[in-house]
Amino acid sequence: MEIVIVGSGGREYSIGLALQKECRIDGIYFYPGNGATSKLGKNIDFANPQDFIDFALTQRIGLVIIGPEAPLVEGLADSLRAKGILVFGPSAKAARLEGSKAYMKEFAQKYGIPTARFIQTQDYAESCKFIDTLSLPIVVKADGLCAGKGVIIAQSHEEAKIAAKEMLDGKSFGDSGKTIVIEEFLDGFELSVFAMCDGKDFIVLPAAQDHKRLLDNDKGPNTGGMGAYAPAPLANAQILEEVKSTIIVPTLKGMAEDGNPFSGTLFCGIMVVQGKPYLLEFNVRFGDPECEVLMPLFKKGMLDCFLACARGDLKNVQFELESKICVGVVVASKDYPYKSSPKAKITIRSLGNAQSHISFAGVSKEGEDLYASGGRVLVCVGKGDNVQEALKNAYAQVESVSFEGMQYRKDIAYQALR
């Protein structure tokens, strides 16, 4: 079969890199891809989604994997399924779990899923009243999609009120902030738990931890993620079982009861407080850079998992994961995340080996050269029998890369070394 991977980032590159090993795949298309995905398959682009759907029909594409959240929220999976095309990714109605933070919180409340105390509102006076009841810090979220940047952790009541006002006025996030969610801050440690779902059944991949802050020691502004590792040793068997029983199972049951069965990747952002997992947020796709450290852990059966989720027959799928640890270090451009950076030519001395590789993200191609053209440029991934070995391999790969202004954190996976 031929498949299409929708998206242009490191997540989509890493899925393509892993699936490239599958002998049943005759070809991979990336829609639209980036400057490096053309090494794994063929980049395609279309003026509108309908042209892409016509291409998928004409080409008899066997599977479409949708990477980013925006096309899912906009209903691309629905349009493909309506034409009989097999697709990995939830419907637009199911994608509201990420597309609307207010919907997600109300859904969690309705089905008894443990989450922080909250309100969702469009009223500034109501916002202020609730903010005054909360201890510091205070979480203020824009309801809609904000490319991972619509969350403010306010350190004072005044800061929380300013954040709420700027969101409601449209100053911060435009229409995405016209409804906001304000919630209590949960103090614990975070986990990213990914379930591949077919609407009723699911499999859980190793828990990951990512690093949102730009600088070492979790300093600086929030970003889309500066690195990740998996499996996270803090996610013991008891915590993972509780995530399954109190969060994933009631979510799939509730979505089905609401008439919106969930298939695709359910990304559960978890805060563990005194050993108990609470739901921070749902995403409806693989995280980035978590995806880059999860895909290399598949030993066999990865394509079968994608296909079974799309077909609705995950219960009997056979797959195997390596008992290794992966660490991914994001290499970002000079001015990330503040503003766009000038293009910079990338020099790479080594593309890796069995224990390390590069997943390319914000890169463009000019002739035979790659240029840093986005915020997060690439992810250097190392694999090992333990965290120390994986770290050594990841940072050795980082040292093989150079371009003007490149920046990266030096302390990825520090939680696992404590």
Side-chain angles (χ1 to χ4, degrees):
M1 69 168 70
E2 290 185 311
I3 70 168
V4 177
I5 300 172
V6 177
S8 61
R11 166 181 49 220
E12 290 75 37
Y13 185 97
S14 64
I15 293 171
L17 184 66
L19 286 177
Q20 194 186 33
K21 303 167 189 171
E22 289 276 356
C23 61
R24 289 173 291 163
I25 294 177
D26 296 318
I28 301 175
Y29 294 93
F30 293 88
Y31 170 40
N34 62 45
T37 50
S38 56
K39 296 274 189 183
L40 306 178
K42 184 177 180 182
N43 289 352
I44 54 176
D45 205 0
F46 300 95
N48 57 67
Q50 186 55 54
D51 289 346
F52 166 59
I53 293 165
D54 292 342
F55 165 84
L57 287 168
T58 303
Q59 201 68 23
R60 296 184 178 179
I61 295 298
L63 175 67
V64 176
I65 298 170
I66 302 177
E69 62 273 25
L72 291 166
V73 171
E74 291 162 7
L76 180 58
D78 304 82
S79 300
L80 290 163
R81 287 194 184 98
K83 295 295 184 180
I85 299 166
L86 205 60
V87 58
F88 179 87
S91 67
K93 287 185 176 178
R96 284 183 297 167
L97 285 175
E98 178 170 2
S100 170
K101 295 179 182 68
Y103 171 80
M104 170 252 141
K105 292 292 285 190
E106 289 176 346
F107 177 89
Q109 190 175 61
K110 178 180 177 181
Y111 288 101
I113 295 166
T115 190
R117 187 164 65 94
F118 75 100
I119 62 163
Q120 65 98 353
T121 183
Q122 297 178 329
D123 183 76
Y124 179 62
E126 185 181 17
S127 301
C128 292
K129 188 176 179 181
F130 186 68
I131 285 168
D132 286 335
T133 71
L134 297 175
S135 301
L136 297 174
I138 296 164
V139 183
V140 185
K141 298 178 177 179
D143 175 52
L145 295 179
C146 299
K149 299 178 177 67
V151 179
I152 304 294
I153 311 295
Q155 300 300 320
S156 70
H157 291 85
E158 185 61 27
E159 184 187 352
K161 290 173 184 177
I162 291 170
K165 187 168 188 353
E166 290 183 347
M167 287 185 191
L168 291 169
D169 287 346
K171 184 178 176 181
S172 298
F173 303 106
D175 289 343
S176 291
K178 293 299 179 70
T179 297
I180 61 173
V181 171
I182 302 168
E183 62 183 32
E184 66 177 339
F185 180 82
L186 296 176
D187 190 13
F189 64 86
E190 287 191 54
L191 293 174
S192 300
V193 179
F194 296 85
M196 296 179 73
C197 312
D198 71 356
K200 50 189 185 301
D201 295 310
F202 65 93
I203 58 172
V204 173
L205 300 181
Q209 280 192 306
D210 79 335
H211 300 64
K212 288 293 185 193
R213 298 283 187 173
L214 179 69
L215 305 174
D216 288 359
N217 302 312
D218 290 328
K219 303 293 185 184
N222 270 332
T223 70
M226 292 300 293
Y229 67 101
L234 292 172
N236 60 41
Q238 180 183 338
I239 289 170
L240 286 177
E241 282 305 314
E242 199 163 342
V243 169
K244 291 179 191 177
S245 63
T246 67
I247 295 171
I248 299 173
V249 169
T251 297
L252 293 188
K253 187 168 181 277
M255 292 300 284
E257 286 179 10
D258 287 354
N260 305 313
F262 187 95
S263 68
T265 302
L266 184 68
F267 169 0
C268 308
I270 303 296
M271 182 68 77
V272 180
V273 182
Q274 297 180 345
K276 181 177 175 59
Y278 290 82
L279 178 66
L280 291 177
E281 63 175 355
F282 281 130
N283 291 164
V284 297
R285 36 71 189 184
F286 283 111
D288 189 343
E290 294 99 332
C291 187
E292 287 88 325
V293 297
L294 288 172
M295 295 301 105
L297 294 175
F298 271 96
K299 191 172 184 179
K300 64 181 181 181
M302 179 181 172
L303 177 60
D304 289 327
C305 290
F306 279 107
L307 289 169
C309 288
R311 290 172 177 157
D313 58 0
L314 190 59
K315 195 168 189 177
N316 298 312
V317 74
Q318 299 293 314
F319 71 100
E320 187 178 343
L321 299 175
E322 290 192 67
S323 46
K324 300 272 189 181
I325 285 182
C326 273
V327 173
V329 180
V330 170
V331 178
S333 56
K334 177 184 175 182
D335 298 316
Y336 179 76
Y338 302 102
K339 61 180 181 178
S340 297
S341 305
K343 273 190 177 183
K345 184 179 174 180
I346 303 171
T347 301
I348 301 172
R349 294 188 300 278
S350 168
L351 283 170
N353 50 47
Q355 299 303 315
S356 68
H357 69 268
I358 297 173
S359 282
F360 293 94
V363 298
S364 57
K365 191 176 182 183
E366 296 181 16
E368 292 303 307
D369 295 324
L370 287 178
Y371 284 77
S373 57
R376 291 184 294 168
V377 177
L378 52 86
V379 185
C380 293
V381 180
K383 188 188 291 185
D385 291 325
N386 52 55
V387 177
Q388 290 88 345
E389 187 178 313
L391 271 171
K392 180 182 175 182
N393 291 330
Y395 279 106
Q397 187 69 71
V398 172
E399 289 169 10
S400 76
V401 176
S402 62
F403 61 87
E404 188 175 349
M406 66 181 271
Q407 58 171 323
Y408 60 92
R409 281 182 58 161
K410 318 296 190 298
D411 64 345
I412 300 302
Y414 73 86
Q415 301 101 321
L417 297 174
R418 285 174 174 169

